[in-house]
Amino acid sequence: MAGEKDVLILAIESSCDETAAAVVKNGREVLSNVISSQIELHKLYGGVVPEIASRKHIEKINQVIEQALTDANVTLDDLDAVGVTYGPGLVGALLVGVAEAKAIAYAKQLPLVGVHHIEGHISANYIENKELEPPFLCLVVSGGHTHLVCVKDYGTYEVIGRTRDDAAGEAFDKVARAIGLGYPGGPKIDKLSKEGNPDAIVFPKAHIEDAPYDFSFSGVKSSVLNYINGCKMKGETYSQADIAASFQKAVVDVLVGNAMRAAKEYGFSKLAIAGGVASNSGLRAAMQEACVANQIAFYHPSPVFCTDNAAMIGVAAYYEYLNGTRHGWDLNAAANLKLGER
Ligand code: KG4
Ligand code: ZN
């Protein structure tokens, strides 16, 4: 915007197993996006070990921030605010990012803007879809969350559906482990399912009677485990690829079905997806097809902005900054922070 001063935000994300920092200009332009992943470290244990995650964050965070500033060709003196994920997530992991953000903001006397991790995932959609503005419906599918969210305005959300048990990504990870694919399972199931038959095995699709937009993935997960045990007991071999493809189809059908019903019921003409599972090729294809059939505009971030990153936190922080959100020097990590809470 001519004549108006640019707003540069340094954003920090450390809620799970990625140490990430980014510089975002005016909410939609990503000047840098540095991610140090700990996946190799946690693979040994088949999942994220919280204590190890915290220790790795503290080791990496300064280098990651330095790199983000260098890549963006800015210094701390150019910044207008510091944004940071303060929940939900692993408390020890969150504390590293929160303490770091507070130290930088305090030293440079900059506004401190705490961001909800899911608000970050949703906001990832603004990066590459410059025309996207609220209101829209967003399906957030990550390793820790499965939410259907009405994005009413920037910073104003209503959660209309959520998982009753496992998150979608968690189900992918658990099934991958059961069929011997290792951690993290989502991308591996996605890849293998391309070689399998999605109609080979019928896995259950849970619908919750009194809550049409809620999800449940523990049933499909148990059903996969039972199927494998059944094959083993009968001395039969099973096809990893068919299990992967059939399981992915069962999950995707429910995600798309609930999202479409909600979009129609609430009258949304725009639908976005977000979170690690939003990079799933089966989900993207099925959602795209359903949106075309229902004349709904479909938005999704590139895979790098689907999984945890700090650019999405910088975007969310920008809109919170414009809305006047400022956190004090007493900002703490909030492991169970609810979307919409301050
Ligand atoms: O958003 P994210 O990076 O972290 C959380 O906030 O939880 O999501 C990580 C999750 C993991 O469960 C991972 O298996 C899943 O996203 N995931 C995928 C794919 N890529 C990542 N699941 C299905 N298909 C994928 N291509
Ligand atoms: Zn996430």
Side-chain angles (χ1 to χ4, degrees):
M1 275 171 278
E4 286 181 34
K5 190 194 168 304
D6 290 331
V7 175
L8 275 189
I9 294 185
L10 169 69
I12 300 170
E13 155 67 40
S14 70
S15 67
C16 191
D17 60 344
E18 334 277 352
T19 319
V23 178
V24 176
K25 182 172 151 184
N26 298 331
R28 301 234 177 186
E29 200 183 326
V30 177
L31 300 188
S32 63
N33 187 33
V34 180
I35 305 168
S36 169
S37 174
Q38 306 177 0
I39 284 181
E40 288 305 317
L41 203 59
H42 297 285
K43 248 185 195 166
L44 292 168
Y45 308 94
V48 178
V49 184
E51 176 78 14
I52 294 177
S54 313
R55 287 166 185 259
K56 207 65 193 170
H57 285 313
I58 203 80
E59 240 178 79
K60 292 282 176 188
I61 196 149
N62 278 329
Q63 289 100 297
V64 166
I65 290 173
E66 202 165 31
Q67 191 64 49
L69 294 169
T70 306
D71 288 357
N73 199 20
V74 301
T75 71
L76 292 177
D77 293 322
D78 299 316
L79 301 175
D80 296 284
V82 181
V84 64
T85 307
Y86 74 107
L90 304 170
V91 72
L94 287 164
L95 281 170
V96 175
V98 170
E100 179 86 11
K102 285 166 78 167
I104 294 174
Y106 183 72
K108 290 284 162 190
Q109 287 300 300
L110 291 169
L112 176 67
V113 182
V115 171
H116 191 288
H117 184 74
I118 298 297
E119 178 171 25
H121 274 303
I122 294 169
S123 304
N125 279 285
Y126 298 133
I127 298 170
E128 294 150 298
N129 301 299
K130 306 289 182 212
E131 76 288 4
L132 177 63
E133 290 194 37
F136 60 92
L137 181 68
C138 190
L139 172 71
V140 184
V141 271
S142 73
H145 310 273
T146 305
H147 281 7
L148 256 178
V149 183
C150 295
V151 182
K152 296 178 166 177
D153 201 346
Y154 294 108
T156 310
Y157 307 95
E158 187 192 350
V159 180
I160 59 167
R162 51 169 56 79
T163 182
R164 297 286 180 103
D165 37 60
D166 291 349
E170 202 178 345
F172 269 92
D173 293 337
K174 286 178 179 170
V175 165
R177 194 181 308 156
I179 59 175
L181 296 179
Y183 176 85
K188 292 185 172 157
I189 289 194
D190 191 353
K191 189 158 171 247
L192 189 60
S193 67
K194 295 191 172 85
E195 295 161 28
N197 174 6
D199 300 313
I201 313 153
V202 179
F203 290 126
K205 297 170 194 169
H207 291 287
I208 292 147
E209 258 327 298
D210 54 340
Y213 311 125
D214 276 2
F215 304 92
S216 167
F217 297 110
S218 63
V220 60
K221 177 196 67 191
S222 304
S223 180
V224 173
L225 299 181
N226 289 340
Y227 177 83
I228 294 170
N229 286 335
C231 290
K232 281 182 182 161
M233 280 196 312
K234 286 183 267 176
E236 292 171 1
T237 55
Y238 55 82
S239 156
Q240 275 184 320
D242 283 351
I243 295 177
S246 302
F247 160 77
Q248 182 168 298
K249 180 174 193 283
V251 172
V252 165
D253 281 357
V254 172
L255 293 173
V256 173
N258 285 12
M260 279 302 132
R261 244 177 296 117
K264 282 192 238 169
E265 178 68 27
Y266 283 79
F268 282 107
S269 58
K270 294 180 260 181
L271 187 147
I273 56 174
V277 183
S279 56
N280 183 270
S281 59
L283 175 62
R284 284 172 180 250
M287 198 67 97
Q288 168 81 45
E289 197 181 318
C291 282
V292 168
N294 290 285
Q295 292 171 323
I296 292 169
F298 176 50
Y299 301 89
H300 57 77
S302 290
V304 68
F305 297 125
C306 285
T307 42
D308 288 348
N309 65 87
M312 67 184 195
I313 302 303
V315 178
Y318 172 76
Y319 289 104
E320 288 291 345
Y321 173 86
L322 291 190
N323 281 345
T325 301
R326 302 289 184 271
H327 284 95
W329 302 135
D330 59 349
L331 179 66
N332 204 342
N336 298 311
L337 188 67
K338 300 278 172 292
L339 190 61
E341 259 178 15
R342 289 285 186 277

